[in-house]
Amino acid sequence: MLRFAFLLTGLIYAGLPAAADGRFGGCDTEQTKIIDEALGTAKDLTLKAAVAVGDTSDYRRWFGDFNQANAEQVRASLKSVVTALRGGAVTAQCDPVAEDGCLAGQYAWVYSDEPYLVHLCPSFFDLPGLTALRPGDRRSAYGTREGTIVHELSHFLRVAGTEDYCYSRTECSRMAQEDTRRAIDNADSYQYFTEDVTYFARQPLTGKPPPAPRPNR
């Protein structure tokens, strides 16, 4: 979820428990633990996803027809996510649902020109961790914590500068067949590719409803 730079940033909300880790503003101890684990796992999974880029059904599903130049861009973008995570500079702000905070049902958002601060919403903590899922688990239809982190980090201009051209698996897989250029520049495409090649490769999730649209604010 990408936000425009003219909105207010860095709000600290009175009354929230102090973070157990200085990297995570406004987050309580349990939230801090969840974020820290998700960042570590996202780093490992995104590295595996970068290695998995190739002329495969997973690649074509999320990025369209394969060619070497496009594949190199996808791989470079995933490696940039890994670099951001490895550098230890990723920070988080736990935001409430409020007029100047998160929308109801929103998972996370960032300002693309303010690396590497990720604003996390209450719904983020309701998402499952990808490593806790089994192939076919319907909860993955709504994304994962690690996938959300990949999505948000890809927005930063220093990483991949992605946009939000589509949000659901149905819409994004269709877009990949119709507009390869947009698919390569789309944040959810990187999320779904990373989730699929690391845990759901060759094990399609049948009967999955698309997640609710996440408005771009």
Side-chain angles (χ1 to χ4, degrees), residues 53-76:
V53 172
D55 191 1
T56 65
S57 58
D58 290 308
Y59 177 94
R60 292 189 296 273
R61 181 180 305 118
W62 301 119
F63 300 109
D65 291 339
F66 179 88
N67 68 58
Q68 198 60 46
N70 288 344
E72 287 301 323
Q73 182 176 342
V74 170
R75 185 180 294 110

Side-chain angles (χ1 to χ4, degrees), residues 34 46 81 131 175:
I34 289 171
T46 311
V81 172
T131 56
M175 185 180 71

Side-chain angles (χ1 to χ4, degrees), residues 15-30:
L16 289 177
D21 187 319
R23 295 175 298 157
F24 307 138
C27 308
D28 63 28
T29 301
E30 181 60 27

